[in-house]
Amino acid sequence: MLITLNQIPVNIQEFQTCPQLDLSKPENTCAMFLCALQLYIKDKDAGVEAMNMLRGPRPMAPYDIQFLRDRLRDKPYLPLAYFEGATPQNNYTPAQPYVLNVLPDPRSQDIEAGYIRVFLKTAGADAQRPVKLREKGGQWYLWEYSSILSGIRIPVKDDPWG
C-alpha cells in the first residue's frame, strides 16, 4: 500500500487539514504518524496534539510523552527515515513527493479481530518494523508503535566512522 504526501505538515493546522488524515485507511494512519513525529521534533506540544488525534479515545499519558521524547532525542532524522529514498548516506532525506510503502502483515492470522498489523521499512534497519492499529467506528488508530521509534543507523553526517 503506497501513500503519497506532497508535503509534511509544519504545524498543527496543516496536520489537521491534511487530506491523508482520513483514518479509514491503515496506510493513512501510518503516514500521519510519521508526520506527527516530525511535527513533534519541531513543536512538542503540536506533536503531542497530533499523536492524540491518531490514538483516538486513548490519549497519550505522561509516560507515553516521555517515551516519545526519549526516543526522538538527538534523532531528528528518524521520522523521515521511513519514506522512500531516505538512506543513511543522504542523511535520511526522502524523495519528494513523500512516498511511504506500508507493507501487509505476512502473519495476519496472529492478530485478533479489530486490530491490524502492518510493517514499515527503512534503509536504516535490516528488518521491517511493525505498527499495530486498532479499529473503532471505521477508523484505524495507533495502538502499538514502539518499534518505529527504535534506533536506526545514524546518518553519515553524524557518523564519525562514516
Side-chain angles (χ1 to χ4, degrees):
M1 301 174 283
L2 293 177
I3 176 116
T4 301
L5 297 160
N6 290 324
Q7 67 181 34
I8 303 293
V10 296
N11 57 46
I12 194 65
Q13 293 77 22
E14 285 186 13
F15 185 89
Q16 291 169 331
T17 59
C18 190
Q20 287 77 19
L21 194 54
D22 170 14
L23 303 184
S24 66
K25 299 177 182 176
E27 61 269 27
N28 284 358
T29 305
C30 292
M32 294 310 294
F33 167 49
L34 297 176
C35 290
L37 294 179
Q38 184 67 19
L39 187 55
Y40 180 86
I41 289 169
K42 307 282 186 215
D43 177 345
K44 290 182 182 11
D45 292 336
V48 169
E49 185 177 343
M51 286 292 292
N52 282 337
M53 292 171 68
L54 299 174
R55 288 172 56 104
R58 190 178 65 130
M60 295 183 85
Y63 168 81
D64 298 314
I65 296 168
Q66 180 179 344
F67 182 81
L68 198 62
R69 184 187 70 229
D70 292 346
R71 294 303 179 273
L72 292 175
R73 182 181 299 134
D74 300 326
K75 295 182 189 83
Y77 53 85
L78 187 67
L80 297 182
Y82 290 90
F83 288 99
E84 297 287 317
T87 67
Q89 292 73 28
N90 69 10
N91 302 310
Y92 295 110
T93 304
Q96 291 188 20
Y98 301 91
V99 176
L100 180 66
N101 188 6
V102 180
L103 303 166
D105 186 352
R107 297 183 47 86
S108 58
Q109 69 273 15
D110 294 344
I111 295 293
E112 60 269 34
Y115 295 84
I116 188 173
R117 184 174 50 212
V118 294
F119 288 82
L120 304 182
K121 64 179 180 170
T122 173
D126 294 332
Q128 301 165 356
R129 307 278 174 94
V131 176
K132 189 174 182 181
L133 306 171
R134 184 172 183 179
E135 188 269 334
K136 179 178 171 87
Q139 305 287 299
W140 290 101
Y141 295 103
L142 288 174
W143 190 255
E144 210 315 290
Y145 49 85
S146 61
S147 293
I148 299 300
L149 299 170
S150 297
I152 60 173
R153 291 179 195 91
I154 62 173
V156 168
K157 72 175 180 61
D158 296 338
D159 186 358
W161 298 97

